[in-house]
């Protein structure tokens, strides 16, 4: 999978060189490119923002650098219609199902906005080049799209076959079956007067599976009743 990220803070993404995703990049499973939006500016100050028409607080990202960035990155795309993602608190919520959907794409382009956002015409123009998705990480406001982009790259990247060593660990985790994950324990069996639940030491695999399922349901009901309603 190819992923291109456009940001005015490319060094945010240095952390993606670590751990499993870093290995996926080194082995070529994830072809990740981070670009500085200012590379598509033409003026001496490499200006990316300006004041909003109609007034109001803050600055808006200018359309011209974004247009040039999208032209270049889509012209060189391995996909006839790349998926162009803009992190935004005004977007649809990014979920595990979205991560699964994006993991099937050949090419993701992620445009990270800052300030009060990107000139709206950029989103319209982008629909002529690919499938445009405005994605929110959740109902809170970040300073820009970078942290959201990193979260999405990690959630999608680990679903690329071969990125996570043991594919079974993908099946049993939170959200894969619509429920939260069951609790986990390791040695010692007693720690600071707290014992591991007996059933996990019983060797009875059917009883362990039933207990874990029950824990998933109890946890989901207590912590995330909205998931059960869905
Ligand atoms: N940019 C600012 N806030 C955001 C959020 N909650 N999700 C995605 N992108 C954002």
């Amino acid at each position: 999978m190819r992923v291109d990220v456009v940001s005015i803070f490319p060094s945010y993404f240095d952390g993606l060189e670590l751990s499993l995703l870093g290995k996926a990049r080194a082995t070529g499973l994830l072809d990740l490119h981070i670009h500085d939006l200012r590379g598509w500016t033409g003026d001496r100050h490499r200006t990316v923002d300006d004041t909003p028409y109609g007034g109001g607080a803050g600055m808006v990202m200018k359309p011209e650098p974004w247009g040039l960035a999208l032209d270049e990155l889509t012209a060189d795309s391995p996909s006839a219609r790349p998926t162009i993602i803009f992190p935004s608190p005004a977007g649809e919520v990014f979920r595990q199902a979205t991560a699964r959907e994006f993991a099937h794409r050949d090419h993701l382009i992620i445009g990270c906005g800052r300030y009060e956002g990107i000139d709206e015409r950029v989103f319209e123009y982008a629909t002529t080049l690919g499938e445009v998705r405005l994605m929110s990480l959740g109902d809170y406001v970040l300073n820009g799209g970078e942290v959201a982009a990193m979260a999405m790259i990690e959630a999608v990247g680990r679903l690329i076959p071969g990125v996570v060593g043991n594919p079974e660990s993908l099946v049993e985790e939170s959200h894969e079956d619509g429920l939260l994950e069951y609790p986990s324990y390791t040695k010692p069996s007693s720690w600071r007067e707290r014992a591991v639940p007996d059933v996990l030491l019983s060797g009875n695999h059917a009883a362990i599976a039933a207990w874990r399922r029950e824990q998933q349901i109890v946890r989901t009901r207590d912590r995330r009743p909205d998931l059960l309603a869905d």
Side-chain angles (χ1 to χ4, degrees):
M1 174 190 289
R2 178 171 171 124
V3 180
D4 286 284
V5 179
V6 181
S7 163
I8 57 166
F9 294 119
S11 50
Y12 253 99
F13 298 89
D14 289 353
L16 295 177
E17 279 163 27
L18 306 172
S19 188
L20 287 178
L21 284 203
K23 210 149 113 200
R25 291 177 77 176
T27 58
L29 288 172
L30 176 64
D31 185 20
L32 176 64
H33 301 263
I34 311 295
H35 308 272
D36 187 344
L37 178 68
R38 293 189 199 276
W40 284 285
T41 56
D43 63 314
R44 198 160 57 90
H45 298 290
R46 309 215 297 164
T47 310
V48 293
D49 62 330
D50 208 334
T51 53
Y53 277 119
M59 301 288 270
V60 176
M61 293 189 107
K62 296 165 64 61
E64 301 95 321
W66 281 109
L68 293 171
L70 293 173
D71 287 345
E72 188 173 325
L73 297 175
T74 53
D76 179 31
S77 178
S79 163
R81 217 171 145 69
T83 298
I84 306 173
I85 301 168
F86 293 100
S88 165
E92 54 178 310
V93 175
F94 180 81
R95 301 180 191 284
Q96 188 64 21
T98 332
R100 280 194 294 264
E101 186 192 344
F102 289 165
H104 289 109
R105 302 288 196 270
D106 294 324
H107 189 195
L108 305 179
I109 298 170
I110 308 181
C112 300
R114 282 262 145 187
Y115 314 116
E116 297 308 304
I118 303 174
D119 186 304
E120 188 68 20
R121 293 167 291 182
V122 171
F123 308 123
E124 292 164 26
Y125 176 68
T127 63
T128 68
L129 302 172
E131 175 207 16
V132 173
R133 301 285 290 270
L134 267 65
M135 299 301 322
S136 170
L137 223 53
D139 293 337
Y140 43 82
V141 180
L142 305 167
N143 285 334
E146 283 77 8
V147 168
M150 286 182 75
M152 289 190 276
I153 292 166
E154 185 159 311
V156 172
R158 62 197 295 285
L159 298 180
I160 299 171
V163 170
V164 170
N166 178 2
E168 271 184 40
S169 59
L170 295 178
V171 176
E172 293 210 344
E173 57 198 11
S174 289
H175 301 296
E176 265 312 320
D177 59 3
L179 297 172
L180 302 185
E181 200 175 3
Y182 54 76
S184 299
Y185 300 86
T186 187
K187 292 177 265 304
S189 61
S190 178
W191 174 74
R192 299 195 181 184
E193 290 166 34
R194 285 162 172 81
V196 170
D198 285 336
V199 64
L200 298 178
L201 310 175
S202 69
N204 181 339
H205 296 295
I208 291 170
W211 179 85
R212 285 179 168 166
R213 189 74 187 167
E214 183 191 319
Q215 291 295 312
Q216 283 193 281
I217 293 166
V218 168
R219 279 189 155 186
T220 308
R221 189 193 63 205
D222 290 350
R223 300 178 186 175
R224 293 292 305 277
D226 56 305
L227 294 179
L228 292 178
D230 286 350

